Amino acid sequence: MRIIRSVLVFIWLVLTLIPLGLGLVIASLFVDDEKLWWWFAVPWVRGVIGAARIVGGVKYRVQGFENLPPSADMRRLVLCAKHQSAWETLFLPGMTPHPCSYVFKQELLRIPVFGWALGRLNMVHIDRSQRKKAWTKVAEQGKKLMDRGRWIVIFPEGTRTERGKPGEYKTGGSRLAIATDADVVPIAITSGRCWPRRSFFLVPGTIDVSIGEPISSAGREQGELMEEIGNWIEAEMRRLDPEAYSAPATAPVGG
């Protein structure tokens, strides 16, 4: 039954992506990217999360939502989230009151329909093999997007990590926050409990999302700031998903 539910959710994802994705690409010729966000992107991601909840049995609960500024608040924010599966990449855009821009690897642009739509949404796509150029692009585009009211979403571990294990927290998110005078919001997400990485077979259960208070980047050093962010996320992961962890909470920080 679990496999059947997972397949049905995947079918829903694909069948809804095609018309909405193509509609977004066509509409991008006539309307601005903020309308594209609310008219196409948000309804689709909310629909997939809803299908995973109703059909796949993957529920969720959110703590700390009040820590996100309201839509009228134009402060600069970098959202640094735990990354265990594809679930959070779909959930976060539908949760936030501001349009978001992800920092992601440019290879995703090659995916038919999905990549085409991403390319029209003013995201920050980078070539991870050229780290210096990638960082310059993140800083330049990130500032421009924040000036337009967007929040930047970064997964500081860089890739999906196995449930119960911390990845290496890279300093890109803290560097961007310091360079743009933005606050950082740490987010812990136990998605690996219900949607294991590198898998589309869903496990019925409840994903916990915990949103921390914004952390100011003013006067901070990038490594020290990311260490605080990573330590908060990893400690919160152990609180939310204690059965997955046995070692003390530590978040290795890299470059």
Side-chain angles (χ1 to χ4, degrees):
M1 180 59 72
R2 180 164 66 91
I3 294 176
I4 294 174
R5 287 183 173 190
S6 300
V7 169
L8 290 174
V9 173
F10 181 74
I11 290 173
W12 169 266
L13 184 155
V14 174
L15 291 182
T16 54
L17 170 63
I18 293 172
L20 280 172
L22 292 177
L24 185 154
V25 172
I26 295 170
S28 69
L29 302 173
F30 308 101
V31 301
D32 62 53
D33 63 293
E34 185 159 350
K35 289 186 175 68
L36 297 177
W37 181 260
W38 297 117
W39 292 359
F40 295 94
V42 169
W44 181 70
V45 296
R46 286 178 177 171
V48 176
I49 293 297
R53 177 176 57 84
I54 296 169
V55 180
V58 178
K59 303 175 184 179
Y60 63 87
R61 55 195 169 208
V62 180
Q63 305 171 35
F65 187 78
E66 67 278 3
N67 291 325
L68 292 178
S71 57
D73 191 325
M74 296 299 288
R75 83 177 76 173
R76 299 165 182 250
L77 279 191
V78 176
L79 308 184
C80 284
K82 183 70 176 180
H83 196 21
Q84 290 187 331
S85 81
W87 186 87
E88 54 268 15
T89 64
L90 298 167
F91 177 75
L92 291 174
M95 174 195 71
T96 57
H98 275 249
C100 294
S101 290
Y102 278 87
V103 177
F104 65 91
K105 57 185 180 181
Q106 64 183 15
E107 289 85 349
L108 294 179
L109 296 173
R110 301 172 188 165
I111 302 174
V113 184
F114 179 78
W116 305 341
L118 274 182
R120 307 301 295 179
L121 283 172
N122 274 328
M123 303 288 180
V124 184
H125 48 89
I126 59 173
D127 181 354
R128 294 195 296 186
S129 68
Q130 301 185 45
R131 295 184 63 180
K132 186 175 181 179
K133 288 184 179 180
W135 159 244
T136 300
K137 185 174 185 179
V138 169
E140 292 177 351
Q141 285 192 239
K143 183 179 184 305
K144 291 178 181 178
L145 291 167
M146 287 181 186
D147 287 344
R148 297 173 55 189
R150 284 189 174 246
W151 292 349
I152 306 299
V153 179
I154 290 182
F155 297 116
E157 293 163 296
T159 189
R160 286 169 286 185
T161 58
E162 185 179 347
R163 182 188 177 199
K165 294 184 179 180
E168 180 179 325
Y169 281 73
K170 300 173 178 63
T171 57
S174 58
R175 289 177 69 188
L176 176 61
I178 292 168
T180 57
D181 194 27
D183 291 343
V184 181
V185 174
I187 305 176
I189 305 173
T190 64
S191 56
R193 178 190 290 159
C194 299
W195 191 330
R197 67 171 186 159
R198 299 173 184 167
S199 172
F200 201 83
F201 291 110
L202 308 179
V203 179
T206 301
I207 294 172
D208 284 293
V209 179
S210 181
I211 304 169
E213 295 182 3
I215 302 171
S216 173
S217 64
R220 304 294 294 272
E221 188 274 329
Q222 63 188 37
E224 171 256 339
L225 176 57
M226 183 50 67
E227 183 176 7
E228 178 181 347
I229 295 164
N231 286 341
W232 186 92
I233 291 174
E234 291 304 317
E236 194 70 355
M237 291 297 295
R238 283 158 174 76
R239 183 183 73 83
L240 298 172
D241 194 11
E243 64 271 21
Y245 293 86
S246 57
T250 56
V253 177

